[in-house]
Amino acid sequence: MTTVTASSIHYIKLGQRGDWETESLRDGVLRFGYREAPHDLCVRGDWQGVQEAMKAARNGNAGAAARDVKQIRAFYEADEHSIFITFVGGPLYWCRPTGPVELLDDDNRRRLTAEGWRNTSIGGTLLSADRLSGRLLKVQMFRGTICDVKAGDYLLRKLSDQLSPEVATAEEAERALIQAIVGLMRLLTWQDFELLVDLVFSSSGWRRISQVGGTQKTIDLELILPSTKERAFVQVKSEATPAALKDYTARLAESEAYERMFFVYHTGNVSGDGKPSGVNVLGPIELSQMVLDAGLSSWLRDKVS
């Protein structure tokens, strides 16, 4: 897979209150202010001259002028090997600048981008803020217009759909644990397996209304989701077959009492492909992930130890 690289990475605010966000994303451009900066000096790279102009605009404040020049220079000098990022409506957007800086009639500046703005990694994963590290998100607190992104290595991994070594190690350990949970579930009695399934659904917000089947090996659980009043039944089987799934799928179709059916098992080879709407098949791997997410692995170990 292609790895995203960059010679420099910058965060940019598109307008004081996001005034240029819509235009920039729509037209695939970078917008920039600093109307006091002499455009001809910026183009020539006369940064000392720009420094003097900005110092005058800042009433002699040399420190503020130096900070201005750093941002102006980044906008003018960044090329297609650079990356600019911004945040609009939650997701992170990124682009690569290209071509010269254009001076607009109102003395604001604009640059084209190589391929427009995008809010996904190169593999198509949405770069939503809830899946990004706080080390990167805190760049939004910058009070100026452009700043360097300190979490650049992290950003490039996200854009390249690559995991950090630490995350890769954690995911490998999680896969091993999920496989171990499958083995532990297969040691449960059918009564304890049904109880485990009940606990898993309870942790997800479902509430059990009743249990039918008595001492049968196969137990149905009737559930309700309090937030939506949606009703479902759960078919819990130690060993599953396609014929059993077909049978209970037909029962759901004939029933007017339930909107959904969960077919849960820990042993067998049942495909959920082509299943009708409302039918959810939870095999050993899917159920093991839910056990792990619900924090029930310790309960499971205690039951079989």
Side-chain angles (χ1 to χ4, degrees), residues 245-262:
L245 174 60
K246 182 178 180 180
D247 177 35
Y248 285 97
T249 296
R251 296 190 190 190
L252 176 66
E254 295 170 356
S255 173
E256 297 181 357
Y258 307 103
E259 288 80 26
R260 299 174 70 181
M261 183 266 281
F262 295 93

Side-chain angles (χ1 to χ4, degrees), residues 84-262:
F84 277 89
I85 69 169
T86 195
F87 293 86
V88 179
L92 176 149
Y93 287 80
W94 62 289
C95 71
R96 294 187 185 274
T98 188
V101 175
E102 176 187 1
L103 181 66
L104 303 178
D105 292 340
D106 58 2
D107 287 332
N108 287 310
R109 325 294 160 103
R110 178 171 62 194
R111 290 193 70 179
L112 299 178
T113 62
E115 297 178 342
W117 290 91
R118 60 189 298 177
N119 62 359
T120 62
S121 68
I122 56 175
T125 301
L126 180 66
L127 300 168
S128 56
D130 61 323
R131 303 192 65 180
L132 297 175
S133 169
R135 294 189 295 115
L136 178 60
L137 295 176
K138 69 180 182 180
V139 75
Q140 299 173 88
M141 299 173 64
F142 179 64
R143 294 184 178 182
T145 302
I146 293 176
C147 68
D148 295 337
V149 175
K150 294 182 179 179
D153 290 344
Y154 167 79
L155 173 66
L156 293 176
R157 285 198 300 269
K158 295 296 289 187
L159 299 183
S160 304
D161 296 296
Q162 296 175 353
L163 300 176
S164 69
E166 295 81 3
V167 173
T169 299
E171 288 200 351
E172 182 179 354
E174 182 175 295
R175 285 192 292 269
L177 180 55
I178 287 174
Q179 289 295 338
I181 289 174
V182 172
L184 293 177
M185 288 193 304
R186 289 170 177 166
L187 297 176
L188 292 171
T189 64
W190 62 263
Q191 296 97 331
D192 285 339
F193 182 53
E194 185 248 345
L195 177 57
L196 174 65
V197 173
D198 185 13
L199 293 172
V200 165
F201 277 95
S202 295
S203 73
S204 302
W206 290 91
R207 180 181 302 164
R208 182 166 71 174
I209 300 174
S210 64
Q211 172 181 319
V212 298
T215 59
Q216 299 177 54
K217 184 176 181 180
T218 300
I219 304 296
D220 285 325
L221 302 177
E222 186 179 10
L223 306 175
I224 188 170
L225 192 60
S227 60
T228 63
K229 305 303 180 184
E230 182 180 8
R231 297 170 71 93
F233 76 86
V234 184
Q235 187 61 30
V236 184
K237 298 187 72 67
S238 297
E239 298 186 16
T241 63
L245 174 60
K246 182 178 180 180
D247 177 35
Y248 285 97
T249 296
R251 296 190 190 190
L252 176 66
E254 295 170 356
S255 173
E256 297 181 357
Y258 307 103
E259 288 80 26
R260 299 174 70 181
M261 183 266 281
F262 295 93

